[in-house]
Amino acid sequence: MTGGGDKGIIVSRSKEAKAIGVKMGEPYFKTKVEHPEAICIPAHHSLYHEISQKVMDTIRDFTPDVEVMSVDEAFADVTGFNEIHHTSYTQFITNIRNEILKRTGIPVSIGLSSSKTLAKLASDKAKKTSGIYVIRPEVDKILTKIGNEQIDTVSGIGKENFKHLNYNGIYTIKDFVARSDSWLKQTFGVNGVSLKHELLGETVSLVNPLPEPPQSIQDTAAFAEFSSDITFLHSTLSEHIHNASKRLRMWDGYCSNLAVMLRTKDFAVYQDETKLDKPTNSEKTLRKAAHMLLDKLYKRGVIYRATGITLAKLSFGKSRQFSFFDDNEPEDDKLSRIIDQLENKFGAGIIKSGS
């Protein structure tokens, strides 16, 4: 649950919560009435990122080729590591799972197969078994295991595509892969053809351990209780600036534009943005600019439910673009980087900047 208190909404559900009908995005006060037996836990995003980093680092100890998709999902290429470690692939990924559990206490699910699409399907099945599920690459074995699964269980098949597939008589994975490449390309483009071959066990999309940097960085959250207190709003905004600027520095990034968002009790959204004097990753500089925008947006007597920050027009590392007439290099905040190192070692919030 994000937000906290009766103002929060459901952002993640256990299989038990799904079974009793708890809906994603549902307001907590509604869940509390309709499902009094449900246990709702406030979200702790900084903790999730910290644990996620430990999980990903553990996987990288087994293979360097890890493509992080989100805070709780990654693809890893383990090709050949069975021979290096003189074990089977199944035992190798079991070792990964055991080590993650040992280091973090998190019982992850791992799917093993010869393509990303099949590995994702296997991972979903692993959640309902022992945490490990293998789909072997032989076509007959693939179709025996997952051929009768509904096609919308495949990652990337949205509601509209599912309706269109059903209209054309395609309901299962077996139905989908039975269609010709030419028909799939004409109907769904090259991605439809790629998906078919991935479902047949062919490696079409390789694991990319070098993720693309973000185009913008956002940090926002609803309050546990509504507030019109300007001091409280400034305090929450400082947290968002800290989180967003830390992620920016992790990418060795700099931002040139900054926007601040205020959401009222009635869900009206007010936003303003500013162009910074020069690209920066300095928390101090970003904080000063953001709080000036907040003061402009704030209306006395209005009750607010959330604040947020967006860092935009980002540049990274050596790709930074300088103006021909600008002698000033982007501002790289060494103090903020030291604070980042301390938080990474000792935990979030171990040290804070003064107001």
Side-chain angles (χ1 to χ4, degrees), residues 192-207:
V193 179
S194 296
L195 181 60
K196 170 187 171 178
H197 288 275
E198 285 253 326
L199 286 169
L200 290 173
E202 300 173 33
T203 305
V204 177
S205 174
L206 298 175
V207 171

Side-chain angles (χ1 to χ4, degrees), residues 151-152 156-168 170 187-188 195:
I151 189 62
D152 63 337
I157 300 291
K159 289 184 179 179
E160 292 305 313
N161 280 338
F162 184 52
K163 290 178 183 177
H164 191 47
L165 288 165
N166 286 176
Y167 178 79
N168 285 279
I170 299 173
T187 310
F188 297 104
L195 181 60

Side-chain angles (χ1 to χ4, degrees), residues 218 220 223 233 237 258-273 290 293-310:
Q218 292 182 313
T220 184
F223 310 146
L233 299 183
L237 188 62
L258 175 149
V260 168
M261 179 277 297
L262 278 177
R263 182 176 289 115
T264 71
K265 176 183 176 182
D266 301 321
F267 292 96
V269 174
Y270 298 93
Q271 181 169 306
D272 198 0
E273 63 180 279
L293 289 177
L294 175 60
D295 286 334
K296 286 174 60 179
L297 288 169
Y298 176 75
K299 303 295 182 185
R300 188 183 298 274
V302 175
I303 300 175
Y304 298 96
R305 66 164 56 238
T307 56
I309 186 86
T310 301

